[in-house]
Amino acid sequence: MTEKDRQYKGKRILLVEDEETLATGLLFNLKEEGYHVFWARDGLQALELFESDTYDLIILDIMLPYHDGFEVAQKIRQKSPQIPILMLTARTGIYDRIKGLEVGADDYLTKPFHLRELLLRIEGMLKRKSWYKSEDGKSTICNFGENEINFETLSGRAGDREIQLTLQEARLLKYFFDHKNTVVSRKELLEQVWNIPFEIETRTVDNFVMRLRKYFEPDPTRPVYFKSVRGVGYIFTG
Ligand code: CA
């Protein structure tokens, strides 16, 4: 058994895809790789399967009967902030990608894709689920002000308030922590945290920073930790 097999064998994947030919091929190939795969043919079935079992990762098509991928992602995120969601988008659907990330997807893959690409992406996401586990044994807990973040459990505390972070919120927060007291541009954040080319007009970064402020700032309208730098981006001064 290779290292890879040990790591990923038996991981449970919920595949949400209405194109039968594509789904059948993916089912076969993912099973070959050692994953347990469960197939939902539409948005309704996706939510039913999600409710009735647990999974390590979700592959989610956007155009689906009953509930589209955005609705499914939103509903899943309400229940589970942390399960990795990989969205499948059309080649021209750059705005779909952004919308997908806004509603809670962690990554996207453009159709048509090569199997190898999908497999790498899945492995990356399953790995990313444990990205916070520092290899040097450093603490996964960070503090600033009255706030505490546990990157291992993706949970936080703001005073007495418990907070559950999504993977994407935690990744942004981690980036801020790693670049404390440094001005970081929207461009840099989009590229480093979201893997999106900057040419796209998007409020993604601002929306996420707003969420972090709502969680952790004593007064989100007068931020002291996540400050705006006009015309550039943000600076974290935790
Ligand atoms: Ca579809």
Side-chain angles (χ1 to χ4, degrees):
M1 211 184 234
T2 67
E3 180 64 30
K4 195 187 109 188
D5 287 340
R6 262 195 297 280
Q7 210 172 349
Y8 301 113
K9 205 146 217 143
K11 292 282 183 196
R12 299 164 64 85
I13 295 177
L14 177 58
L15 170 67
V16 187
E17 173 58 72
D18 60 325
E19 280 170 54
E20 188 152 0
T21 326
L22 176 59
T24 312
L26 289 180
L27 275 173
F28 175 80
N29 284 298
L30 290 170
K31 279 178 184 161
E32 282 285 288
E33 290 292 311
Y35 295 111
H36 288 304
V37 196
F38 304 84
W39 178 24
R41 295 157 187 260
D42 58 56
L44 205 59
Q45 204 182 8
L47 292 173
E48 280 167 11
L49 284 177
F50 176 74
E51 294 283 341
S52 62
D53 221 326
T54 58
Y55 306 92
D56 296 293
L57 183 135
I58 296 176
I59 301 173
L60 182 57
D61 185 32
I62 290 181
M63 297 296 284
L64 294 166
Y66 306 120
H67 300 289
D68 68 19
F70 300 124
E71 288 176 62
V72 173
Q74 251 166 341
K75 292 211 160 75
I76 286 175
R77 273 290 167 261
Q78 285 163 10
K79 289 266 159 77
S80 164
Q82 296 166 2
I83 186 164
I85 300 177
L86 173 64
M87 262 195 173
L88 304 180
T89 69
R91 189 153 45 101
T92 52
I94 191 85
Y95 289 98
D96 282 353
R97 284 175 225 169
I98 292 166
K99 190 171 173 198
L101 294 168
E102 284 288 334
V103 298
D106 299 294
D107 207 348
Y108 56 83
L109 192 59
T110 305
K111 283 182 180 177
F113 49 82
H114 291 289
L115 176 68
R116 181 94 204 106
E117 204 182 341
L118 176 73
L119 294 176
L120 285 173
R121 204 62 71 88
I122 290 172
E123 284 170 26
M125 291 180 80
L126 289 171
K127 222 182 286 168
R128 204 186 289 161
K129 213 181 158 194
S130 49
W131 56 274
Y132 43 81
K133 282 182 186 151
S134 50
E135 279 152 31
D136 53 3
K138 267 202 295 193
S139 172
T140 55
I141 295 176
C142 295
N143 291 284
F144 61 103
E146 298 285 297
N147 306 306
E148 187 176 275
I149 318 291
N150 186 335
F151 283 109
E152 185 163 349
T153 56
L154 297 188
S155 61
R157 212 163 34 73
D160 302 330
R161 220 151 31 94
E162 299 282 337
I163 290 155
Q164 282 287 306
L165 298 166
T166 70
L167 188 59
Q168 204 61 27
E169 288 165 352
R171 291 185 71 212
L172 176 60
L173 204 46
K174 185 75 166 57
Y175 197 85
F176 276 132
F177 264 101
D178 292 344
H179 300 80
K180 214 183 227 180
N181 299 319
T182 311
V183 177
V184 288
S185 67
R186 288 186 179 78
K187 176 182 193 300
E188 180 179 345
L189 290 170
L190 271 179
E191 286 175 357
Q192 299 299 319
V193 180
W194 278 270
N195 195 21
I196 292 183
F198 181 67
E199 299 79 59
I200 299 150
E201 195 60 43
T202 169
R203 299 263 307 154
T204 299
V205 172
D206 303 316
N207 290 340
F208 271 78
V209 171
M210 253 159 33
R211 287 194 218 169
L212 294 186
R213 282 176 177 161
K214 230 188 273 173
Y215 293 152
F216 300 114
E217 294 282 1
D219 177 0
T221 60
R222 281 183 207 160
V224 292
Y225 302 118
F226 304 93
K227 292 183 192 153
S228 299
V229 181
R230 221 190 164 131
V232 186
Y234 295 97
I235 184 166
F236 173 66
T237 55

PDB file of all heavy atoms in Angstrom, residues 16-19 61-65 111, ligand 1:
ATOM      1  N   VAL A  16     -22.422  14.947  -6.961  1.00  0.00           N
ATOM      2  CA  VAL A  16     -23.707  15.483  -7.396  1.00  0.00           C
ATOM      3  C   VAL A  16     -23.577  15.919  -8.846  1.00  0.00           C
ATOM      4  O   VAL A  16     -22.937  16.925  -9.153  1.00  0.00           O
ATOM      5  CB  VAL A  16     -24.137  16.683  -6.516  1.00  0.00           C
ATOM      6  CG1 VAL A  16     -25.556  17.114  -6.876  1.00  0.00           C
ATOM      7  CG2 VAL A  16     -24.017  16.356  -5.046  1.00  0.00           C
ATOM      8  N   GLU A  17     -24.150  15.148  -9.732  1.00  0.00           N
ATOM      9  CA  GLU A  17     -23.970  15.368 -11.176  1.00  0.00           C
ATOM     10  C   GLU A  17     -25.132  14.735 -11.923  1.00  0.00           C
ATOM     11  O   GLU A  17     -25.444  13.569 -11.705  1.00  0.00           O
ATOM     12  CB  GLU A  17     -22.633  14.742 -11.611  1.00  0.00           C
ATOM     13  CG  GLU A  17     -22.371  14.738 -13.091  1.00  0.00           C
ATOM     14  CD  GLU A  17     -22.387  16.127 -13.702  1.00  0.00           C
ATOM     15  OE1 GLU A  17     -21.433  16.897 -13.454  1.00  0.00           O
ATOM     16  OE2 GLU A  17     -23.357  16.460 -14.401  1.00  0.00           O
ATOM     17  N   ASP A  18     -25.791  15.509 -12.785  1.00  0.00           N
ATOM     18  CA  ASP A  18     -26.953  14.967 -13.493  1.00  0.00           C
ATOM     19  C   ASP A  18     -26.613  14.385 -14.860  1.00  0.00           C
ATOM     20  O   ASP A  18     -27.445  13.705 -15.463  1.00  0.00           O
ATOM     21  CB  ASP A  18     -28.052  16.033 -13.625  1.00  0.00           C
ATOM     22  CG  ASP A  18     -27.578  17.249 -14.396  1.00  0.00           C
ATOM     23  OD1 ASP A  18     -26.381  17.609 -14.264  1.00  0.00           O
ATOM     24  OD2 ASP A  18     -28.385  17.840 -15.139  1.00  0.00           O
ATOM     25  N   GLU A  19     -25.418  14.651 -15.362  1.00  0.00           N
ATOM     26  CA  GLU A  19     -25.042  14.050 -16.648  1.00  0.00           C
ATOM     27  C   GLU A  19     -24.613  12.620 -16.407  1.00  0.00           C
ATOM     28  O   GLU A  19     -23.550  12.358 -15.829  1.00  0.00           O
ATOM     29  CB  GLU A  19     -23.858  14.814 -17.262  1.00  0.00           C
ATOM     30  CG  GLU A  19     -24.252  16.091 -17.961  1.00  0.00           C
ATOM     31  CD  GLU A  19     -23.015  16.895 -18.310  1.00  0.00           C
ATOM     32  OE1 GLU A  19     -22.115  16.340 -18.975  1.00  0.00           O
ATOM     33  OE2 GLU A  19     -22.934  18.059 -17.887  1.00  0.00           O
ATOM     34  N   ASP A  61     -22.000  19.745  -9.122  1.00  0.00           N
ATOM     35  CA  ASP A  61     -22.267  20.398 -10.402  1.00  0.00           C
ATOM     36  C   ASP A  61     -23.190  21.607 -10.138  1.00  0.00           C
ATOM     37  O   ASP A  61     -23.900  21.639  -9.134  1.00  0.00           O
ATOM     38  CB  ASP A  61     -22.950  19.384 -11.334  1.00  0.00           C
ATOM     39  CG  ASP A  61     -23.142  19.950 -12.735  1.00  0.00           C
ATOM     40  OD1 ASP A  61     -22.309  20.757 -13.175  1.00  0.00           O
ATOM     41  OD2 ASP A  61     -24.131  19.557 -13.385  1.00  0.00           O
ATOM     42  N   ILE A  62     -23.166  22.598 -11.026  1.00  0.00           N
ATOM     43  CA  ILE A  62     -24.012  23.776 -10.793  1.00  0.00           C
ATOM     44  C   ILE A  62     -25.400  23.612 -11.402  1.00  0.00           C
ATOM     45  O   ILE A  62     -26.416  23.785 -10.735  1.00  0.00           O
ATOM     46  CB  ILE A  62     -23.333  25.049 -11.340  1.00  0.00           C
ATOM     47  CG1 ILE A  62     -22.119  25.386 -10.465  1.00  0.00           C
ATOM     48  CG2 ILE A  62     -24.318  26.230 -11.298  1.00  0.00           C
ATOM     49  CD1 ILE A  62     -21.382  26.625 -10.884  1.00  0.00           C
ATOM     50  N   MET A  63     -25.435  23.279 -12.694  1.00  0.00           N
ATOM     51  CA  MET A  63     -26.732  23.138 -13.348  1.00  0.00           C
ATOM     52  C   MET A  63     -27.322  21.777 -13.025  1.00  0.00           C
ATOM     53  O   MET A  63     -26.853  20.751 -13.535  1.00  0.00           O
ATOM     54  CB  MET A  63     -26.567  23.285 -14.867  1.00  0.00           C
ATOM     55  CG  MET A  63     -26.056  24.646 -15.307  1.00  0.00           C
ATOM     56  SD  MET A  63     -27.209  25.962 -14.911  1.00  0.00           S
ATOM     57  CE  MET A  63     -28.438  25.690 -16.189  1.00  0.00           C
ATOM     58  N   LEU A  64     -28.351  21.783 -12.170  1.00  0.00           N
ATOM     59  CA  LEU A  64     -28.958  20.534 -11.708  1.00  0.00           C
ATOM     60  C   LEU A  64     -30.473  20.677 -11.676  1.00  0.00           C
ATOM     61  O   LEU A  64     -30.970  21.790 -11.463  1.00  0.00           O
ATOM     62  CB  LEU A  64     -28.509  20.229 -10.276  1.00  0.00           C
ATOM     63  CG  LEU A  64     -27.055  19.900  -9.989  1.00  0.00           C
ATOM     64  CD1 LEU A  64     -26.811  19.988  -8.494  1.00  0.00           C
ATOM     65  CD2 LEU A  64     -26.709  18.518 -10.509  1.00  0.00           C
ATOM     66  N   PRO A  65     -31.198  19.586 -11.841  1.00  0.00           N
ATOM     67  CA  PRO A  65     -32.652  19.658 -11.651  1.00  0.00           C
ATOM     68  C   PRO A  65     -33.013  19.932 -10.183  1.00  0.00           C
ATOM     69  O   PRO A  65     -32.249  19.581  -9.287  1.00  0.00           O
ATOM     70  CB  PRO A  65     -33.135  18.253 -12.056  1.00  0.00           C
ATOM     71  CG  PRO A  65     -32.003  17.643 -12.807  1.00  0.00           C
ATOM     72  CD  PRO A  65     -30.755  18.265 -12.271  1.00  0.00           C
ATOM     73  N   LYS A 111     -15.355  22.418 -16.424  1.00  0.00           N
ATOM     74  CA  LYS A 111     -15.682  21.349 -17.388  1.00  0.00           C
ATOM     75  C   LYS A 111     -15.316  21.806 -18.788  1.00  0.00           C
ATOM     76  O   LYS A 111     -15.544  22.969 -19.106  1.00  0.00           O
ATOM     77  CB  LYS A 111     -17.180  21.069 -17.356  1.00  0.00           C
ATOM     78  CG  LYS A 111     -17.674  20.267 -16.192  1.00  0.00           C
ATOM     79  CD  LYS A 111     -19.171  20.068 -16.409  1.00  0.00           C
ATOM     80  CE  LYS A 111     -19.796  19.276 -15.296  1.00  0.00           C
ATOM     81  NZ  LYS A 111     -21.244  19.145 -15.484  1.00  0.00           N
TER      82      LYS A 111
HETATM   83 CA    CA B   1     -25.465  19.591 -14.961  1.00  0.00          CA
END
